[in-house]
Amino acid sequence: MPKSLTSSNSFSRKDRLKKPSEFFRVRKKGKRLYTGNFTVFILPNGLEANRLGVSVGRRTGNAVKRNRIKRLVREFFRLNTKNISPGRPVDLVISARERADVKDLNTLTRELLRVLKKTDEKPPRTNINESAGVQ
């Protein structure tokens, strides 16, 4: 396969959150959004590209169900990374809720894009003390 085809359509290591400290930072400092099946944490990263971390706990279901959810979330990210916060690269941590029931990629895409579009509409919150110069 030509290199250009695989590199633009793949979910490479540079697109992933890998270290526990990266997950922790996004969960601690990021904005939290809820859907029926997921909790989404989003934090601007200052890099050139969006990055994704996926978390699916054992309470979500057996290994087959957990792995399917992770594959679908990664595929959603791969196909929609250009639509996620255009012009402002972010780190995303998508955590499946305990009783997540994901039927297919189309349902998951609608659910996640709906909540991610809301982040583009609202300006980021600022701390009143920071804007006034108070420490």
Side-chain angles (χ1 to χ4, degrees), residues 6-17 50-54 70 73-75 77-78:
T6 58
S7 63
S8 65
N9 291 331
S10 67
F11 182 63
S12 66
R13 291 185 62 80
K14 69 175 180 60
D15 298 329
R16 303 172 195 216
L17 295 177
N50 294 327
R51 298 188 306 168
L52 173 69
V54 182
K70 287 188 277 189
V73 169
R74 285 192 302 262
E75 183 67 3
F77 182 80
R78 188 184 72 78

mmCIF file of all heavy atoms in Angstrom, residues 6-17 50-54 70 73-75 77-78:
data_model
loop_
_atom_site.group_PDB
_atom_site.id
_atom_site.type_symbol
_atom_site.label_atom_id
_atom_site.label_comp_id
_atom_site.label_asym_id
_atom_site.label_seq_id
_atom_site.Cartn_x
_atom_site.Cartn_y
_atom_site.Cartn_z
ATOM 1 N N THR A 6 -1.787 4.986 3.832
ATOM 2 C CA THR A 6 -1.857 4.421 5.167
ATOM 3 C C THR A 6 -1.646 5.468 6.243
ATOM 4 O O THR A 6 -2.294 5.425 7.267
ATOM 5 C CB THR A 6 -0.818 3.297 5.353
ATOM 6 O OG1 THR A 6 0.475 3.846 5.107
ATOM 7 C CG2 THR A 6 -1.093 2.139 4.443
ATOM 8 N N SER A 7 -0.761 6.429 6.032
ATOM 9 C CA SER A 7 -0.481 7.394 7.086
ATOM 10 C C SER A 7 -1.650 8.344 7.320
ATOM 11 O O SER A 7 -1.911 8.747 8.435
ATOM 12 C CB SER A 7 0.795 8.177 6.780
ATOM 13 O OG SER A 7 0.614 8.923 5.610
ATOM 14 N N SER A 8 -2.374 8.730 6.268
ATOM 15 C CA SER A 8 -3.478 9.664 6.457
ATOM 16 C C SER A 8 -4.724 8.979 7.008
ATOM 17 O O SER A 8 -5.568 9.635 7.592
ATOM 18 C CB SER A 8 -3.809 10.362 5.146
ATOM 19 O OG SER A 8 -4.285 9.421 4.208
ATOM 20 N N ASN A 9 -4.849 7.688 6.823
ATOM 21 C CA ASN A 9 -6.047 6.983 7.264
ATOM 22 C C ASN A 9 -5.827 6.102 8.480
ATOM 23 O O ASN A 9 -6.712 5.362 8.855
ATOM 24 C CB ASN A 9 -6.603 6.126 6.120
ATOM 25 C CG ASN A 9 -7.162 6.974 5.007
ATOM 26 O OD1 ASN A 9 -7.629 8.072 5.248
ATOM 27 N ND2 ASN A 9 -7.089 6.478 3.795
ATOM 28 N N SER A 10 -4.676 6.179 9.097
ATOM 29 C CA SER A 10 -4.412 5.280 10.210
ATOM 30 C C SER A 10 -4.617 5.990 11.548
ATOM 31 O O SER A 10 -4.793 7.205 11.608
ATOM 32 C CB SER A 10 -2.984 4.752 10.125
ATOM 33 O OG SER A 10 -2.078 5.811 10.337
ATOM 34 N N PHE A 11 -4.600 5.222 12.594
ATOM 35 C CA PHE A 11 -4.666 5.729 13.958
ATOM 36 C C PHE A 11 -3.301 5.438 14.568
ATOM 37 O O PHE A 11 -3.084 4.415 15.186
ATOM 38 C CB PHE A 11 -5.796 5.026 14.712
ATOM 39 C CG PHE A 11 -5.965 5.529 16.115
ATOM 40 C CD1 PHE A 11 -6.319 6.839 16.356
ATOM 41 C CD2 PHE A 11 -5.796 4.685 17.182
ATOM 42 C CE1 PHE A 11 -6.489 7.306 17.649
ATOM 43 C CE2 PHE A 11 -5.964 5.130 18.467
ATOM 44 C CZ PHE A 11 -6.310 6.449 18.707
ATOM 45 N N SER A 12 -2.369 6.355 14.339
ATOM 46 C CA SER A 12 -0.970 6.104 14.694
ATOM 47 C C SER A 12 -0.685 6.425 16.164
ATOM 48 O O SER A 12 -1.533 6.975 16.876
ATOM 49 C CB SER A 12 -0.046 6.926 13.794
ATOM 50 O OG SER A 12 -0.228 8.296 14.063
ATOM 51 N N ARG A 13 0.520 6.137 16.597
ATOM 52 C CA ARG A 13 0.926 6.364 17.980
ATOM 53 C C ARG A 13 0.877 7.843 18.358
ATOM 54 O O ARG A 13 0.588 8.188 19.493
ATOM 55 C CB ARG A 13 2.309 5.796 18.230
ATOM 56 C CG ARG A 13 2.310 4.263 18.177
ATOM 57 C CD ARG A 13 3.651 3.681 18.545
ATOM 58 N NE ARG A 13 4.084 3.972 19.887
ATOM 59 C CZ ARG A 13 3.687 3.339 20.994
ATOM 60 N NH1 ARG A 13 2.814 2.364 20.897
ATOM 61 N NH2 ARG A 13 4.154 3.675 22.164
ATOM 62 N N LYS A 14 1.142 8.718 17.399
ATOM 63 C CA LYS A 14 1.107 10.156 17.705
ATOM 64 C C LYS A 14 -0.317 10.653 17.948
ATOM 65 O O LYS A 14 -0.517 11.727 18.511
ATOM 66 C CB LYS A 14 1.781 10.969 16.602
ATOM 67 C CG LYS A 14 1.034 10.998 15.296
ATOM 68 C CD LYS A 14 1.706 11.926 14.295
ATOM 69 C CE LYS A 14 0.951 11.957 13.000
ATOM 70 N NZ LYS A 14 -0.417 12.419 13.110
ATOM 71 N N ASP A 15 -1.308 9.875 17.551
ATOM 72 C CA ASP A 15 -2.712 10.236 17.740
ATOM 73 C C ASP A 15 -3.277 9.720 19.064
ATOM 74 O O ASP A 15 -4.464 9.896 19.329
ATOM 75 C CB ASP A 15 -3.568 9.672 16.602
ATOM 76 C CG ASP A 15 -3.184 10.232 15.256
ATOM 77 O OD1 ASP A 15 -2.743 11.389 15.201
ATOM 78 O OD2 ASP A 15 -3.316 9.502 14.253
ATOM 79 N N ARG A 16 -2.460 9.084 19.878
ATOM 80 C CA ARG A 16 -2.941 8.421 21.089
ATOM 81 C C ARG A 16 -2.402 9.075 22.344
ATOM 82 O O ARG A 16 -1.284 9.573 22.358
ATOM 83 C CB ARG A 16 -2.489 6.964 21.121
ATOM 84 C CG ARG A 16 -2.901 6.166 19.947
ATOM 85 C CD ARG A 16 -2.255 4.808 19.954
ATOM 86 N NE ARG A 16 -2.395 4.228 18.627
ATOM 87 C CZ ARG A 16 -2.599 2.953 18.405
ATOM 88 N NH1 ARG A 16 -2.642 2.113 19.379
ATOM 89 N NH2 ARG A 16 -2.746 2.517 17.174
ATOM 90 N N LEU A 17 -3.185 9.018 23.400
ATOM 91 C CA LEU A 17 -2.675 9.303 24.735
ATOM 92 C C LEU A 17 -2.160 7.971 25.249
ATOM 93 O O LEU A 17 -2.880 6.975 25.236
ATOM 94 C CB LEU A 17 -3.786 9.827 25.644
ATOM 95 C CG LEU A 17 -4.395 11.172 25.276
ATOM 96 C CD1 LEU A 17 -5.530 11.509 26.217
ATOM 97 C CD2 LEU A 17 -3.356 12.260 25.302
ATOM 98 N N ASN A 50 -5.028 16.385 17.093
ATOM 99 C CA ASN A 50 -5.853 15.845 18.166
ATOM 100 C C ASN A 50 -5.288 14.507 18.610
ATOM 101 O O ASN A 50 -4.711 13.768 17.809
ATOM 102 C CB ASN A 50 -7.289 15.647 17.677
ATOM 103 C CG ASN A 50 -7.975 16.940 17.344
ATOM 104 O OD1 ASN A 50 -7.733 17.960 17.963
ATOM 105 N ND2 ASN A 50 -8.843 16.907 16.351
ATOM 106 N N ARG A 51 -5.482 14.192 19.901
ATOM 107 C CA ARG A 51 -5.070 12.887 20.421
ATOM 108 C C ARG A 51 -6.227 12.280 21.196
ATOM 109 O O ARG A 51 -7.053 13.001 21.748
ATOM 110 C CB ARG A 51 -3.851 13.019 21.332
ATOM 111 C CG ARG A 51 -2.641 13.559 20.630
ATOM 112 C CD ARG A 51 -1.385 13.504 21.468
ATOM 113 N NE ARG A 51 -1.568 14.153 22.758
ATOM 114 C CZ ARG A 51 -0.704 14.054 23.765
ATOM 115 N NH1 ARG A 51 0.395 13.346 23.632
ATOM 116 N NH2 ARG A 51 -0.924 14.678 24.913
ATOM 117 N N LEU A 52 -6.255 10.946 21.239
ATOM 118 C CA LEU A 52 -7.368 10.226 21.856
ATOM 119 C C LEU A 52 -6.874 9.228 22.880
ATOM 120 O O LEU A 52 -5.879 8.527 22.663
ATOM 121 C CB LEU A 52 -8.151 9.462 20.773
ATOM 122 C CG LEU A 52 -9.255 8.526 21.254
ATOM 123 C CD1 LEU A 52 -10.427 9.315 21.835
ATOM 124 C CD2 LEU A 52 -9.727 7.625 20.136
ATOM 125 N N GLY A 53 -7.605 9.138 23.980
ATOM 126 C CA GLY A 53 -7.425 8.082 24.964
ATOM 127 C C GLY A 53 -8.787 7.451 25.204
ATOM 128 O O GLY A 53 -9.791 8.166 25.303
ATOM 129 N N VAL A 54 -8.840 6.141 25.297
ATOM 130 C CA VAL A 54 -10.105 5.424 25.491
ATOM 131 C C VAL A 54 -10.021 4.634 26.785
ATOM 132 O O VAL A 54 -9.023 3.952 27.048
ATOM 133 C CB VAL A 54 -10.402 4.465 24.310
ATOM 134 C CG1 VAL A 54 -11.732 3.766 24.519
ATOM 135 C CG2 VAL A 54 -10.387 5.201 22.998
ATOM 136 N N LYS A 70 -14.095 -0.079 22.284
ATOM 137 C CA LYS A 70 -12.818 0.601 22.029
ATOM 138 C C LYS A 70 -12.533 0.710 20.535
ATOM 139 O O LYS A 70 -12.098 1.761 20.053
ATOM 140 C CB LYS A 70 -11.675 -0.130 22.741
ATOM 141 C CG LYS A 70 -11.698 0.075 24.244
ATOM 142 C CD LYS A 70 -10.483 -0.482 24.917
ATOM 143 C CE LYS A 70 -10.629 -1.961 25.158
ATOM 144 N NZ LYS A 70 -9.553 -2.517 25.999
ATOM 145 N N VAL A 73 -14.845 3.438 19.072
ATOM 146 C CA VAL A 73 -14.426 4.792 19.456
ATOM 147 C C VAL A 73 -13.182 5.200 18.669
ATOM 148 O O VAL A 73 -13.093 6.326 18.168
ATOM 149 C CB VAL A 73 -14.179 4.890 20.977
ATOM 150 C CG1 VAL A 73 -13.494 6.198 21.338
ATOM 151 C CG2 VAL A 73 -15.494 4.762 21.735
ATOM 152 N N ARG A 74 -12.228 4.294 18.517
ATOM 153 C CA ARG A 74 -11.022 4.621 17.737
ATOM 154 C C ARG A 74 -11.383 4.882 16.277
ATOM 155 O O ARG A 74 -10.845 5.797 15.649
ATOM 156 C CB ARG A 74 -9.994 3.487 17.842
ATOM 157 C CG ARG A 74 -9.286 3.468 19.174
ATOM 158 C CD ARG A 74 -8.085 2.555 19.156
ATOM 159 N NE ARG A 74 -8.399 1.188 18.808
ATOM 160 C CZ ARG A 74 -8.575 0.195 19.675
ATOM 161 N NH1 ARG A 74 -8.468 0.427 20.981
ATOM 162 N NH2 ARG A 74 -8.853 -1.013 19.266
ATOM 163 N N GLU A 75 -12.305 4.114 15.726
ATOM 164 C CA GLU A 75 -12.727 4.321 14.341
ATOM 165 C C GLU A 75 -13.462 5.657 14.205
ATOM 166 O O GLU A 75 -13.246 6.389 13.236
ATOM 167 C CB GLU A 75 -13.618 3.167 13.877
ATOM 168 C CG GLU A 75 -14.045 3.253 12.436
ATOM 169 C CD GLU A 75 -12.904 3.088 11.435
ATOM 170 O OE1 GLU A 75 -11.747 2.841 11.826
ATOM 171 O OE2 GLU A 75 -13.185 3.227 10.224
ATOM 172 N N PHE A 77 -12.910 8.306 15.980
ATOM 173 C CA PHE A 77 -11.868 9.339 16.037
ATOM 174 C C PHE A 77 -11.098 9.411 14.722
ATOM 175 O O PHE A 77 -10.848 10.492 14.203
ATOM 176 C CB PHE A 77 -10.914 9.034 17.197
ATOM 177 C CG PHE A 77 -9.831 10.056 17.361
ATOM 178 C CD1 PHE A 77 -10.086 11.255 17.997
ATOM 179 C CD2 PHE A 77 -8.559 9.813 16.872
ATOM 180 C CE1 PHE A 77 -9.083 12.201 18.143
ATOM 181 C CE2 PHE A 77 -7.555 10.749 17.011
ATOM 182 C CZ PHE A 77 -7.820 11.957 17.655
ATOM 183 N N ARG A 78 -10.749 8.276 14.182
ATOM 184 C CA ARG A 78 -9.986 8.238 12.930
ATOM 185 C C ARG A 78 -10.761 8.907 11.789
ATOM 186 O O ARG A 78 -10.203 9.672 11.014
ATOM 187 C CB ARG A 78 -9.662 6.781 12.564
ATOM 188 C CG ARG A 78 -8.724 6.626 11.397
ATOM 189 C CD ARG A 78 -8.538 5.169 11.050
ATOM 190 N NE ARG A 78 -9.707 4.587 10.419
ATOM 191 C CZ ARG A 78 -10.044 4.756 9.140
ATOM 192 N NH1 ARG A 78 -9.314 5.481 8.350
ATOM 193 N NH2 ARG A 78 -11.123 4.179 8.648
#
